[in-house]
Amino acid sequence: MDTFVCDKLNQWGLSEFIEIFKDQGVDTESLYCLEEQDIDKLITKVGPRARFKKRLNQLKEEENTNGEKEVCPKPCQVQNEDATDLTKILPSTSNTGKRKLDLQEESSIKKPKRQHERFQFTESMILNDVKNIMTHVHAKLQNQETTDLNEFLMTKIRDLETDKRELVGVFGKTGAGKTSLINAVIGVKKLLPSGDVDACTSVMIKVEANALNLNYEAEIEFINKEEWEDELGTVDRFLEDDEEQEKHDDDEENDGHHDLIEKLTAVYGEEWKQKSSQQLMDNRYFREIPEFLQSTKKILTCESAIELSAKMMKYTKQGEDKDIKRWYWPIVKCVTVKVPQNNFLQHVTLVDLPGNGDRNKSRDTMWKKIVGNCSTVWIVSEINRAASDRESWEILKSASNFLGNGGECRNIHFICTKSDVLGELHDASPADIQALIVNRNLKAKEAVGKEFNKLSKIKKYFSNECFKVFTVSSAEFLKPKNLKPEDTEIPELQDFLQNLNDSHSVTLNYVSGAQGILSLMQGASLKKVAGCCKVVSDDLETNLNCQLDEIRDEMREIYTTFIKCLNEGVEKSKSSCKNILKFFLYPTRKSGSAQYYILKSVVKNGGIHKPKKGKEINFNMKLTSFLSKSIDEEFRKTFPNEGNCGPFNGVINRFSLDVEKLKPKYKDADLQLTFLKTEEEKLKTKLNKMIRDNKKVIYMSLTKTVEEIMKECYEKAAQFRGKNTLQNIRETIQQYVYNFQNSMFEKAKNVMLELLLKLMADILGLLEKDMMESIELSLNTEDCTIPDVSTELGMVQKLCEELSSSMDA
């Protein structure tokens, strides 16, 4: 069974029959050819069978009307045909039966959205057909003798499937309207529980598509049992540990204690006060969540969004609810919500994120990884204070390292919510209210834009083209009173998600890749012209070596520049150590007890203090700040997140074997050259992803290296207790930094350069290995076992043309 049939059964509310259809081999073609007796066997219950027949007839009528698909005639009239004949697997692609999307005949009163849906439908059908063809070809190859070329081709067919997914991170403080925004944009009311005064989201929530069935599902991933045991261990010692500080009433100092008490009360109620940490790990406290003890995910499955929202509240929120006895958010790492039948989430995951990470190590590691993988971030703030909302701007600043050089963010959207809330208006007409809202929206956009321009650190990474302000009203979009849908700007955000989905490129990449593989197979099955392939191979190898030399030259120049910048950064870091230590160890605006608590937290947590509110304090980043500044600009130029140039000053994107120029010269090798062209494009896509992933590791290596060097210092300082603890911690850190400053910054520099050099070597190695393997196997391998695929190639070529024409229409 293919994805088209699966999708249709889901849409028609008949997902329980997917396995039956799959077992019976019902695919796109045979779906349209089902007769009464076939349907009776597949669906034995009268009610579901009647619904299926009605839906199938509607589908046939709609497609006949639109001219998009030829409904199957009596296929069973075809007798004595081979069961593996492609004409029985796929619809006809002849001119008379070809599905086509004639948008020019669409009535002018039709909505653009309908056109978009029809275009998506056509693409889906084409992709489905090509996947069926390649499954058929793969089966053919499996029946052949095992050879190097045969194995190579089957691997290439398997590699056609890719999971392209864009992450959109959604930040905002409690009450800003994050969850209402997500619910409105994806068009599902009451999916995520909305925050109020008594409840706020406490864990990361991913929202993505459910492609398997029609249910609303939540996958709950817990922290490790050992991590919770470590947190509980602090129950036995935090009063003793900070005994000398109890007389002070400093917010900063009490922050961690309040946070711990909040977590314990959520999970255990008041029982924790009479129990030891060992007793609190008793299995009876986790009867409702045995998955936590088993280190597995808990799956919640519901038929409606509102039902799922109620069920998952205790895992995602902190707050009070008389019906909920225990709240499990303190031990939840992440919740993934899966939404059925949602076009906005086809290749996009929305992530509701806490502002600046988490005190729990595994949650914080996941937070950093997700933020680093976001191609877009939405900063959400109420419109009445958006420009002056210090917390929102702090969130953006604190995440900047993970979005810019340490990430892959290309878009920052500042979203001003509740644009419809104006306060009390007496005797105002709907037109007056609309005018007031639109006018305030314009002013808010201008004010937020001015604030963004003041952020010099952010502007280093992101141009004005990356930044956009939206003024939205989720309430007005869901239930219009005074605004048109477009004035709520929710449709504009939906269009953005549709573009981010970019399902067209997924289809195009698969179809063109399939055409390349079939071209190679057909070329291999034909008798080669003596000597021709050897000459073509030599020319391609010469071109490859020239291209590799060009890349090496560019990389050598970049590496030399990195060395120069980092050397300057090392010297600046050494000379600035004294001032960094002074401002960190002896802050003038903090009380003695606050300083004590912050430094205690820093040495306990590997150089990092995370307040419940406000900016993270990261001593490792402070130490490497001048090293990072020295390389920031060159790093951004070498590994840009935006623009079309690509990494290494565009030299990877410019890589080409010039096969199009060779085609007129070597007409007998046209099919093999077509394959090599598609392989070249696939390899560049693979390289760009590899570079994108590795550049984050390279950039963050400066801080990571210093953190590893400082680990011994932090562990030693964390042992101090009692009188003079604060001064002992200060002196330990100061002495350690002075002792290791010469070697520490030098090592951080060298680690970054080693990682950069390794990436460069991996790129060159992969380019040379993969392209030479493709050239060798496509042109210099004699293999008589490759089956004839002329029919399949012809079909895919026609589908490729159809895809192009539907795109142009």
Side-chain angles (χ1 to χ4, degrees):
M1 188 176 73
D2 50 45
T3 54
F4 177 76
V5 177
C6 182
D7 288 345
K8 286 299 162 194
L9 289 174
N10 277 328
Q11 290 169 22
W12 297 344
L14 299 165
S15 57
E16 67 267 31
F17 298 103
I18 287 175
E19 287 302 317
I20 296 172
F21 276 61
K22 185 177 180 181
D23 291 342
Q24 295 299 316
V26 180
D27 55 21
T28 305
E29 174 72 3
S30 53
L31 176 70
Y32 288 89
C33 304
L34 291 174
E35 296 189 346
E36 291 289 331
Q37 64 268 27
D38 300 322
I39 298 172
D40 292 346
K41 288 177 183 176
L42 287 166
I43 305 175
T44 55
K45 292 183 180 179
V46 176
R49 184 167 67 233
R51 291 208 316 273
F52 175 82
K53 288 179 179 179
K54 178 183 176 182
R55 294 286 193 174
L56 183 59
N57 286 332
Q58 286 174 345
L59 180 65
K60 289 177 179 179
E61 287 169 11
E62 181 183 343
E63 290 177 351
N64 279 335
T65 303
N66 292 335
E68 289 173 343
K69 187 177 184 77
E70 178 188 28
V71 177
C72 184
K74 295 275 185 181
C76 299
Q77 292 174 352
V78 182
Q79 301 292 330
N80 303 320
E81 283 194 46
D82 184 353
T84 60
D85 188 346
L86 274 175
T87 58
K88 296 189 74 176
I89 294 174
L90 294 167
S92 168
T93 54
S94 66
N95 288 334
T96 55
K98 176 181 172 182
R99 296 181 320 274
K100 53 190 176 184
L101 187 65
D102 193 357
L103 291 178
Q104 281 139 358
E105 292 181 9
E106 263 309 84
S107 167
S108 60
I109 61 171
K110 293 267 188 180
K111 295 181 181 178
K113 186 177 178 184
R114 173 64 182 151
Q115 293 179 1
H116 178 75
E117 286 172 352
R118 290 180 63 195
F119 175 63
Q120 276 193 325
F121 178 79
T122 301
E123 279 204 347
S124 174
M125 294 291 287
I126 290 171
L127 180 60
N128 223 37
D129 286 354
V130 178
K131 283 185 176 181
N132 282 339
I133 291 171
M134 298 314 291
T135 300
H136 173 73
V137 171
H138 191 274
K140 269 189 175 184
L141 286 168
Q142 283 182 314
N143 293 329
Q144 302 296 320
E145 180 186 338
T146 300
T147 64
D148 288 344
L149 181 56
N150 187 303
E151 290 290 324
F152 175 78
L153 288 165
M154 286 196 288
T155 300
K156 291 297 178 185
I157 292 172
R158 286 193 295 270
D159 289 347
L160 285 172
E161 290 281 2
T162 57
D163 183 24
K164 175 184 174 291
R165 188 152 292 279
E166 298 280 350
L167 282 185
V168 177
V170 187
F171 296 90
K173 67 179 185 180
T174 304
K178 280 192 301 177
T179 52
S180 298
L181 173 71
I182 293 172
N183 291 342
V185 169
I186 66 173
V188 184
K189 293 180 182 179
K190 299 181 180 178
L191 173 66
L192 299 184
S194 294
D196 52 38
V197 176
D198 297 320
C200 61
T201 307
S202 299
V203 300
M204 284 171 283
I205 303 177
K206 298 180 185 177
V207 184
E208 57 188 42
N210 183 355
L212 299 178
N213 55 58
L214 274 180
N215 294 321
Y216 289 86
E217 295 181 350
E219 284 184 3
I220 300 163
E221 183 180 354
F222 298 96
I223 63 173
N224 292 333
K225 186 172 70 171
E226 293 73 23
E227 287 182 77
W228 185 238
E229 282 183 295
D230 288 343
E231 286 205 49
L232 291 179
T234 60
V235 177
D236 297 332
R237 66 176 182 265
F238 83 78
L239 290 174
E240 172 198 342
D241 186 44
D242 291 326
E243 194 175 50
E244 66 180 65
Q245 299 301 319
E246 283 185 355
K247 61 181 179 288
H248 298 286
D249 187 25
D250 190 287
D251 288 341
E252 190 87 53
E253 172 197 333
N254 292 324
D255 199 17
H257 297 168
H258 292 162
D259 188 37
L260 180 60
I261 291 168
E262 201 170 42
K263 288 181 178 181
L264 293 170
T265 305
V267 178
Y268 301 103
E270 297 299 314
E271 283 187 50
W272 70 271
K273 294 178 180 178
Q274 290 82 40
K275 306 287 183 182
S276 68
S277 58
Q278 190 174 0
Q279 290 171 318
L280 291 174
M281 284 304 297
D282 191 286
N283 287 1
R284 70 188 178 92
Y285 291 113
F286 308 104
R287 283 175 188 151
E288 194 178 1
I289 48 168
E291 298 86 354
F292 167 66
L293 298 172
Q294 297 159 5
S295 297
T296 58
K297 292 179 181 178
K298 186 176 186 69
I299 311 295
L300 304 177
T301 302
C302 301
E303 292 184 357
S304 68
I306 193 167
E307 184 187 354
L308 182 66
S309 180
K311 274 191 176 183
M312 70 181 185
M313 182 178 282
K314 68 175 73 174
Y315 302 99
T316 62
K317 296 280 185 184
Q318 61 184 91
E320 295 180 8
D321 188 312
K322 62 182 180 181
D323 296 325
I324 298 177
K325 304 299 181 188
R326 297 191 187 280
W327 299 79
Y328 295 115
W329 58 265
I331 53 178
V332 173
K333 188 175 180 181
C334 178
V335 175
T336 301
V337 178
K338 298 194 173 184
V339 183
Q341 293 180 275
N342 198 288
N343 289 333
F344 301 115
L345 300 173
Q346 194 175 0
H347 300 291
V348 170
T349 297
L350 294 172
V351 192
D352 187 348
L353 287 157
N356 63 342
D358 197 282
R359 289 177 176 179
N360 174 272
K361 190 171 182 181
S362 68
R363 276 201 295 252
D364 191 55
T365 300
M366 179 178 271
W367 182 90
K368 287 173 179 173
K369 183 178 180 182
I370 288 175
V371 174
N373 289 338
C374 286
S375 62
T376 300
V377 292
W378 290 354
I379 308 295
V380 182
S381 179
E382 291 182 65
I383 194 168
N384 59 356
R385 57 193 305 269
S388 60
D389 186 358
R390 184 179 170 187
E391 192 171 331
S392 295
W393 296 112
E394 283 298 331
I395 288 171
L396 185 55
K397 286 190 279 189
S398 65
S400 61
N401 278 340
F402 303 103
L403 298 173
N405 283 342
E408 56 183 88
C409 184
R410 301 187 296 277
N411 304 288
I412 297 174
H413 293 164
F414 199 104
I415 300 178
C416 308
T417 57
K418 306 180 184 178
S419 68
D420 60 306
V421 179
L422 292 171
E424 290 187 19
L425 292 173
H426 300 289
D427 303 323
S429 68
D432 290 338
I433 293 173
Q434 183 181 4
L436 285 169
I437 291 172
V438 171
N439 186 50
R440 186 178 65 170
N441 288 352
L442 291 171
K443 288 180 179 177
K445 288 184 178 186
E446 186 179 350
V448 171
K450 285 180 179 177
E451 284 301 311
F452 177 73
N453 287 327
K454 295 176 185 177
L455 303 178
S456 56
K457 185 179 178 182
I458 304 294
K459 294 281 286 181
K460 258 191 326 186
Y461 300 122
F462 302 102
S463 65
N464 286 333
E465 286 71 33
C466 297
F467 184 75
K468 188 167 184 180
V469 185
F470 292 85
T471 49
V472 308
S473 170
S474 304
E476 279 280 343
F477 178 74
L478 295 171
K479 194 178 285 187
K481 290 181 181 178
N482 301 303
L483 294 177
K484 299 174 185 174
E486 59 268 27
D487 289 331
T488 69
E489 298 196 4
I490 296 290
E492 196 173 345
L493 286 171
Q494 290 178 328
D495 287 344
F496 173 80
L497 290 186
Q498 286 282 24
N499 292 330
L500 207 57
N501 267 304
D502 196 13
S503 58
H504 174 71
S505 72
V506 174
T507 303
L508 192 60
N509 289 342
Y510 191 98
V511 173
S512 61
Q515 185 178 352
I517 292 167
L518 293 173
S519 295
L520 171 59
M521 289 180 68
Q522 188 59 17
S525 68
L526 299 173
K527 187 176 180 181
K528 292 185 173 71
V529 178
C532 172
C533 288
K534 178 69 172 68
V535 177
V536 180
S537 177
D538 289 345
D539 274 6
L540 287 167
E541 194 171 337
T542 301
N543 289 354
L544 176 61
N545 288 329
C546 287
Q547 290 291 303
L548 290 173
D549 285 342
E550 186 181 331
I551 293 172
R552 282 190 195 94
D553 290 343
E554 188 64 46
M555 287 179 168
R556 197 175 292 116
E557 194 173 323
I558 288 169
Y559 188 76
T560 303
T561 306
F562 265 61
I563 292 174
K564 180 176 178 292
C565 292
L566 286 169
N567 281 338
E568 292 171 1
V570 167
E571 294 309 312
K572 184 71 174 171
S573 298
K574 290 177 185 176
S575 63
S576 303
C577 255
K578 188 174 180 180
N579 280 338
I580 291 172
L581 287 167
K582 178 184 174 183
F583 287 113
F584 178 70
L585 297 175
Y586 302 93
T588 55
R589 295 184 181 180
K590 297 285 184 185
S591 67
S593 58
Q595 291 180 38
Y596 168 89
Y597 177 72
I598 290 170
L599 281 180
K600 249 316 198 178
S601 175
V602 165
V603 297
K604 278 182 181 178
N605 297 292
I608 301 167
H609 168 62
K610 283 187 173 293
K612 189 167 185 181
K613 292 182 180 178
K615 191 176 179 182
E616 170 187 286
I617 296 171
N618 190 324
F619 184 52
N620 306 309
M621 279 191 173
K622 289 181 185 294
L623 287 172
T624 56
S625 58
F626 289 100
L627 262 177
S628 298
K629 284 177 187 174
S630 72
I631 201 66
D632 269 344
E633 187 177 346
E634 187 60 33
F635 201 96
R636 185 175 55 79
K637 281 167 54 184
T638 305
F639 303 107
N641 288 345
E642 54 181 302
N644 299 317
C645 174
F648 294 103
N649 297 329
V651 73
I652 303 297
N653 287 356
R654 290 197 302 272
F655 173 84
S656 175
L657 296 180
D658 285 333
V659 295
E660 293 299 329
K661 290 181 182 178
L662 294 176
K663 279 185 176 182
K665 186 177 177 182
Y666 302 111
K667 292 180 181 178
D668 291 328
D670 181 81
L671 291 169
Q672 288 91 336
L673 290 172
T674 296
F675 164 73
L676 290 170
K677 177 65 179 173
T678 61
E679 282 302 291
E680 182 186 292
E681 292 304 316
K682 281 170 60 182
L683 184 54
K684 285 195 282 189
T685 300
K686 182 179 178 180
L687 283 172
N688 278 316
K689 184 183 184 306
M690 183 178 89
I691 292 166
R692 194 165 59 241
D693 292 342
N694 277 273
K695 73 110 169 180
K696 302 169 194 175
V697 177
I698 294 170
Y699 186 76
M700 300 310 295
S701 69
L702 294 174
T703 303
K704 187 180 178 184
T705 302
V706 167
E707 183 180 339
E708 289 168 355
I709 292 169
M710 291 293 295
K711 184 181 177 184
E712 183 184 348
C713 168
Y714 297 140
E715 289 174 350
K716 182 179 178 182
Q719 302 305 312
F720 291 117
R721 298 284 188 278
K723 193 177 180 181
N724 297 325
T725 295
L726 177 59
Q727 192 56 30
N728 287 335
I729 292 174
R730 284 172 173 163
E731 288 174 1
T732 301
I733 293 174
Q734 187 167 294
Q735 193 58 50
Y736 196 91
V737 172
Y738 283 156
N739 288 344
F740 288 92
Q741 64 178 347
N742 289 329
S743 59
M744 180 165 58
F745 300 122
E746 196 68 37
K747 185 173 181 181
K749 176 198 82 172
N750 290 335
V751 168
M752 175 177 265
L753 290 173
E754 285 166 13
L755 289 170
L756 178 64
L757 202 58
K758 183 181 183 303
L759 175 60
M760 291 173 170
D762 287 348
I763 291 167
L764 290 165
L766 189 62
L767 269 172
E768 185 169 18
K769 175 181 171 293
D770 279 25
M771 289 313 302
M772 280 304 300
E773 181 184 33
S774 295
I775 291 168
E776 186 67 25
L777 286 170
S778 60
L779 291 163
N780 297 332
T781 303
E782 293 291 339
D783 193 335
C784 301
T785 67
I786 301 301
D788 179 86
V789 289
S790 55
T791 302
E792 291 90 336
L793 178 59
M795 284 181 165
V796 171
Q797 284 172 336
K798 286 182 179 179
L799 289 168
C800 201
E801 289 167 9
E802 189 176 340
L803 183 63
S804 299
S805 64
S806 67
M807 188 183 161
D808 295 335

